[in-house]
Amino acid sequence: MLALVFVNVVINYLDRTNLAVAASALSKELQLGPQELGYIFSAFGWSYALLQIPGGLIADRVAPRVLYAFCLITWSLATLCQAFVRGFASLFSLRLATGAFEAPSYPINNRVVTSWFPDHERASAISLYVSGQFIGLAFLTPVLVTVQYYAGWKGLFIGTGLVGIVWGLVWYLFYRDPLDHKTVNQAELDYIEEGGGLISRKQAGPAQASAWSWHNVKQVFSSRTLWGVYIGQFAVNATLWFFLTWFPTYLVQYRGLDFIKSGYLASVPFLAACAGLLLSGFVSDYLVKTGTSVSVARKTPIIAGLLLSVSIIGANYTNDTTMIIFFMALAFFGSGMALISWVFVSILSPKHLIGLTGGVFNFMGNLASIVVPIVIGYLAKEGNFNPALVFIGTLGFVGACSYIFLVGKAERVVIREK
């Protein structure tokens, strides 16, 4: 089941980042300047972020098998249609559609992991499926660059769209929840349940059916601890969305690298991020198993990672390609470490509001997918990318401070009665 989610994440991020690979050629053909390109990069984030709370609520009500299949097929159709755009408006609209249909994906991921894994294995499980975004991009970015080189940017969108449509059918055929899986025995169900896994939606409590209420929404937004992880997630995603949008353009247009060469060099930071993510997840779970407090075990890798992400600013002080990639890889390694932050949704969420809390968490974090591409477009419009990297590094530092000073003891938030 985790392998299926892993592939979902790979495809999810292929369809987020194919535009970054296509951007140089596409912007020339459609005559898009840096500011227009920034808005195009951000279009996915507008709908994706704004629909996180509805997406989380839907993830609480619709079976992952059905909902994920629907999302995969629809966002992949929107991706395929991007091959036929004629200008800014049509491309912006289709990126909005892609973001809208991807919106429930991470709340679904969190629901699947919460159902299939006990608490002490959850950070490892999260790090493994989230690593799909980096492993896939590290090994497939050169493939995407090669596809575009031979088939053009239109062929790139058609190819990635078709892959997602086919995989949506595969997911529907093979995914099952624990209680519905024919090969899961009672001992496995007991192991998951005794370890804190929610194998049945009924375990979430009687309020599950009415998770949406202004009272519940107010509680999810009023917790200081939750605000700490919301701000931290915005900072984590700021670095991530630089790499998912502007990074290839930065290498080609602002550092003068060859397009094909940039495709291979761009894979290095993604591999580093994957290494950081896996290291963080397994170290965090190891610390929990050896008796370290959950707060220390979960927060330490995230804080260290966010502080490491500040190193992206170092690329401003060198013209050597090797050192540029080194600073980029080090920063993304740190960002990868911090991406186990999804474990805090499982730890902190009220039991009957896991989907809602996950939606709010992802909404706040993915505001970065709107803000960062646009701000970078304005900061870099005069041909100088240095201020943009300072902006990204500063957000990483703010995120670390948020976890240090706002996130207190890691324990489930209790909803106060009306």
Side-chain angles (χ1 to χ4, degrees), residues 43-59 67 71 95-107 355-356 358-364 366-367 369-370:
F44 173 96
W46 286 96
S47 54
Y48 184 80
L50 292 174
L51 292 175
Q52 281 308 296
I53 295 175
L57 292 169
I58 292 170
L67 183 58
C71 291
R95 293 301 291 181
L96 283 174
T98 305
F101 290 123
E102 284 197 24
S105 57
Y106 264 72
L356 177 60
V360 173
F361 174 82
N362 216 19
F363 164 73
M364 299 299 289
N366 277 283
L367 289 176
S369 67
I370 301 172

Side-chain angles (χ1 to χ4, degrees), residues 145-222:
V145 168
T146 303
V147 169
Q148 178 172 317
Y149 184 79
Y150 289 103
W153 60 269
K154 295 182 178 181
L156 177 63
F157 286 122
I158 291 172
T160 51
L162 288 175
V163 167
I165 292 169
V166 172
W167 185 255
L169 299 174
V170 172
W171 168 267
Y172 184 79
L173 290 174
F174 289 99
Y175 178 79
R176 297 292 186 276
D177 285 330
L179 291 175
D180 301 324
H181 202 289
K182 293 181 180 179
T183 65
V184 176
N185 59 42
Q186 189 59 47
E188 290 173 299
L189 294 175
D190 292 342
Y191 174 76
I192 295 170
E193 187 173 10
E194 290 169 5
L198 304 180
I199 61 173
S200 169
R201 288 286 90 187
K202 293 179 182 179
Q203 291 176 274
Q208 179 63 41
S210 58
W212 173 261
S213 72
W214 288 113
H215 173 71
N216 287 340
V217 173
K218 181 180 177 181
Q219 295 302 315
V220 169
F221 273 105
S222 63

Side-chain angles (χ1 to χ4, degrees), residues 76-369:
S76 297
L77 282 171
T79 296
L80 189 152
C81 290
Q82 289 167 47
F84 307 102
V85 297
R86 294 180 178 273
F88 177 90
S90 56
L91 181 55
F92 189 88
S93 299
L94 286 169
R95 293 301 291 181
L96 283 174
T98 305
F101 290 123
E102 284 197 24
S105 57
Y106 264 72
I108 301 171
N109 293 343
N110 194 60
R111 174 174 168 177
V112 169
V113 170
T114 303
S115 298
W116 275 97
F117 292 89
D119 290 340
H120 65 274
E121 295 180 2
R122 204 163 291 151
S124 300
I126 290 172
S127 68
L128 281 170
Y129 81 69
V130 175
S131 71
Q133 67 195 51
F134 301 124
I135 293 176
L137 294 175
F139 290 102
L140 294 179
T141 295
V143 174
L144 296 179
V145 168
T146 303
V147 169
Q148 178 172 317
Y149 184 79
Y150 289 103
W153 60 269
K154 295 182 178 181
L156 177 63
F157 286 122
I158 291 172
T160 51
L162 288 175
V163 167
I165 292 169
V166 172
W167 185 255
L169 299 174
V170 172
W171 168 267
Y172 184 79
L173 290 174
F174 289 99
Y175 178 79
R176 297 292 186 276
D177 285 330
L179 291 175
D180 301 324
H181 202 289
K182 293 181 180 179
T183 65
V184 176
N185 59 42
Q186 189 59 47
E188 290 173 299
L189 294 175
D190 292 342
Y191 174 76
I192 295 170
E193 187 173 10
E194 290 169 5
L198 304 180
I199 61 173
S200 169
R201 288 286 90 187
K202 293 179 182 179
Q203 291 176 274
Q208 179 63 41
S210 58
W212 173 261
S213 72
W214 288 113
H215 173 71
N216 287 340
V217 173
K218 181 180 177 181
Q219 295 302 315
V220 169
F221 273 105
S222 63
S223 166
R224 170 181 166 172
T225 297
L226 289 177
W227 267 104
V229 297
Y230 297 158
I231 295 170
Q233 191 66 3
F234 181 93
V236 172
N237 279 358
T239 303
L240 174 63
W241 276 95
F242 161 71
F243 282 96
L244 295 182
T245 56
W246 279 100
F247 181 49
T249 302
Y250 167 71
L251 294 180
V252 174
Q253 294 187 6
Y254 294 88
R255 288 298 188 171
L257 298 185
D258 172 78
F259 179 67
I260 292 292
K261 183 179 180 181
S262 72
Y264 286 92
L265 290 176
S267 68
V268 175
F270 287 108
L271 287 172
C274 179
L277 174 62
L278 294 174
L279 174 67
S280 180
F282 285 104
V283 167
S284 182
D285 277 350
Y286 173 78
L287 291 174
V288 171
K289 291 175 184 177
T290 56
T292 305
S293 72
V294 173
S295 293
V296 173
R298 300 311 193 199
K299 286 165 63 176
T300 300
I302 296 173
I303 294 168
L306 284 164
L307 291 174
L308 270 179
S309 70
V310 179
S311 63
I312 197 170
I313 298 173
N316 286 342
Y317 299 97
T318 179
N319 290 317
D320 181 74
T321 299
T322 301
M323 291 304 299
I324 292 170
I325 297 300
F326 168 77
F327 283 118
M328 292 289 161
L330 182 61
F332 215 12
F333 175 85
S335 181
M337 288 182 64
L339 273 171
I340 65 161
S341 51
W342 263 98
V343 76
F344 276 97
V345 176
S346 298
I347 294 171
L348 302 175
S349 300
K351 283 189 176 181
H352 66 293
L353 297 178
I354 290 177
L356 177 60
T357 308
V360 173
F361 174 82
N362 216 19
F363 164 73
M364 299 299 289
N366 277 283
L367 289 176
S369 67

